[in-house]
Amino acid sequence: MNPMDRIQDYGDGRLSPEERAAMEKDPSLTAEVDAFAEYRRVVSAVGQSEFVPLSRLEDKLATLARPTRKPKWGWLMVPAAAAAAFAVTLFVVRPPASPPVVAAADPMELERGAPVAEMDKPEFSLARGMVKQTAGFEVPDLDLRSKGGTLASVRIGKNWAAFDYTMDKERISLAVSPDDTPLRNNKGVVEMKGHKFMMGKGIGWKHGNLAYYLKGGSTLDLRKFMACTICCMCEGKVVLGTQQSVLVAMR
Amino acid sequence: MIRSSRPRDFESSVRPHLSVLYRVGLRLTRNAEEAEDLVSQTMVNAFNAWSRFDGDYVRSWLIKILRNEFLNVQRRKGSRPVEVELDDAEGVSDTSWTEVVGRLEAGRILEEVDRLPEEYRLAVTLCDVEQMSYEEAAEAMDVPVGTVRSRLFRGRARLRQRLGHVVAEEVR
């Protein structure tokens, strides 16, 4: 082993006590040992003093990972609920007066199956990364901040993602999926700004290899405006003007 | 905020290591914006893999993910960090620490660390800048401890050589 390697092993704490003692007895190595220690001190001090955007990173981490609170004693509630259900079965043995009412699902709904992850108020870029990782497909830049929209939450399923925006106190949800099956065979097709939209409870369309479905908002006009805006964003175009002026231009 | 059945302590486990992750990202990318993106994506990847994490060293596990993501980004960009041979003759230096330490501004040393080839740069960053043990660095780099040592020594040798040139130029 050459002397420089020994000095570095010494400085890195890799020598046995006997080897260390032998090194320390050798005065010819003292200056180099000290210089190496000084190098390590300096490079560490300067490297660790560099600016770190810690608050931004912590915000991102919190957005990604903050767990939901479980009620205290939640584990006790499971057997309690089971016992209550059993008691109801035993003593309240009346058949239901009428069959249960099931809300009719929109045939165009792209969100199918329970979400595997949900994010509250994420940055769009972070949500995009999460969709890619979890659902396995890439979504275009649908950051609506420049249009006054705030991304309130994102739900991610196995083959879909739903972005919930707040626009002027209205809630709008945009589901995206590579599977366009729900949009097929839909007859209510309307053409706006050169794009074909399928109208149901919400508005559906296809762009590239993805299917989109927008719902929510208090008026059909708002949904139409948002559908056009998002569709144009996917093409890298910008929709100028107010909701009213754009809707007039679309008619 | 994620609501899922993942382990509950992901945030508290990762939070103490954000600064180190960013600094290592900065040394790898040599760009503040790219380093931040790299750390963000590392958090996403780590979150998705959290249920599979069974090791003791969260920090080295995170750095391993960061480095893999960095290599993926390089691959997507079509560029790849220059691989260096461990018996690369250029790594041998006659310059000693006494010839360079104390003669240069501290920031200049870090600038020269950033110019090292990626494998050497990571070893020097982890062991010298972040003061990690060889064992922890080996976990982070996903190589044996002996490989860490040889990359570290060669990285330092190159660094001494480059710093020696800088000192010589400044003397002129």
Side-chain angles (χ1 to χ4, degrees), chain A residues 12 32 39 64 118 120, chain B residues 1-3 97 128 134 149:
Chain A
D12 291 340
E32 195 60 19
Y39 149 76
L64 185 72
E118 295 186 27
D120 284 347
Chain B
M1 283 158 263
I2 294 277
R3 294 181 291 273
W97 291 112
D128 291 350
Y134 286 13
R149 183 179 178 272

Side-chain angles (χ1 to χ4, degrees), chain A residues 85-140:
Chain A
F86 182 66
V88 167
T89 317
L90 273 181
F91 302 112
V92 188
V93 279
R94 273 185 309 190
S98 57
V101 177
V102 179
D106 191 328
M108 289 200 288
E109 188 66 81
L110 293 178
E111 298 171 39
R112 282 171 296 168
V116 292
E118 295 186 27
M119 305 168 85
D120 284 347
K121 295 178 184 167
E123 273 190 21
F124 191 83
S125 58
L126 198 64
R128 204 179 186 186
M130 192 70 183
V131 171
K132 193 179 165 196
Q133 287 287 323
T134 311
F137 62 92
E138 275 191 78
V139 291

Side-chain angles (χ1 to χ4, degrees), chain A residues 2-20:
Chain A
N2 72 46
M4 188 58 81
D5 286 1
R6 278 180 61 214
I7 286 164
Q8 293 182 125
D9 276 335
Y10 176 84
D12 291 340
R14 309 297 297 183
L15 295 183
S16 66
E18 297 77 28
E19 289 170 319
R20 286 186 71 84

Side-chain angles (χ1 to χ4, degrees), chain A residues 133-153:
Chain A
Q133 287 287 323
T134 311
F137 62 92
E138 275 191 78
V139 291
D141 184 359
L142 300 170
D143 191 344
L144 297 182
R145 273 181 298 183
S146 62
K147 307 281 176 297
T150 307
L151 187 55
S153 64

Side-chain angles (χ1 to χ4, degrees), chain B:
Chain B
M1 283 158 263
I2 294 277
R3 294 181 291 273
S4 64
S5 55
R6 310 273 180 181
R8 297 279 151 181
D9 57 349
F10 176 77
E11 186 178 0
S12 56
S13 302
V14 172
R15 187 181 291 273
H17 307 300
L18 287 175
S19 296
V20 176
L21 276 181
Y22 178 80
R23 288 196 301 263
V24 174
L26 191 60
R27 296 273 82 75
L28 287 175
T29 60
R30 296 179 273 213
N31 178 296
E33 209 171 300
E34 285 179 27
E36 201 170 329
D37 287 347
L38 184 60
V39 175
S40 296
Q41 192 55 45
T42 299
M43 286 193 265
V44 171
N45 296 356
F47 181 80
N48 286 326
W50 185 240
S51 59
R52 298 193 296 276
F53 172 64
D54 56 359
D56 295 326
Y57 298 114
V58 177
R59 185 165 70 161
S60 50
W61 180 71
L62 290 168
I63 293 170
K64 193 193 301 187
I65 294 174
L66 179 111
R67 180 171 176 262
N68 287 341
E69 181 58 27
F70 169 71
L71 295 176
N72 285 339
V73 171
Q74 296 298 306
R75 225 169 278 136
R76 281 199 293 272
K77 280 183 182 168
S79 61
R80 175 135 174 73
V82 180
E83 298 285 352
V84 285
E85 294 296 325
L86 292 181
D87 57 353
D88 186 351
E90 207 194 319
V92 180
S93 165
D94 292 321
T95 316
S96 65
W97 291 112
T98 44
E99 286 173 71
V100 291
V101 173
R103 299 185 181 202
L104 291 168
E105 279 180 28
R108 193 63 210 258
I109 299 178
L110 205 59
E111 275 175 34
E112 292 303 327
V113 170
D114 283 349
R115 294 200 176 104
L116 291 172
E118 192 261 331
E119 299 291 7
Y120 295 164
R121 190 163 73 238
L122 186 59
V124 170
T125 299
L126 298 184
C127 295
D128 291 350
V129 179
E130 300 301 336
Q131 308 261 302
M132 283 186 190
S133 68
Y134 286 13
E135 286 73 18
E136 197 182 356
E139 282 243 347
M141 293 165 69
D142 209 11
V143 294
V145 171
T147 306
V148 171
R149 183 179 178 272
S150 52
R151 287 185 188 177
L152 181 61
F153 281 22
R154 289 188 176 273
R156 285 172 180 167
R158 281 201 179 198
L159 188 62
R160 285 199 306 277
Q161 192 182 45
R162 285 167 191 257
L163 292 173
H165 289 312
V166 175
V167 170
E169 275 171 25
E170 288 192 358
V171 167
R172 258 181 240 152

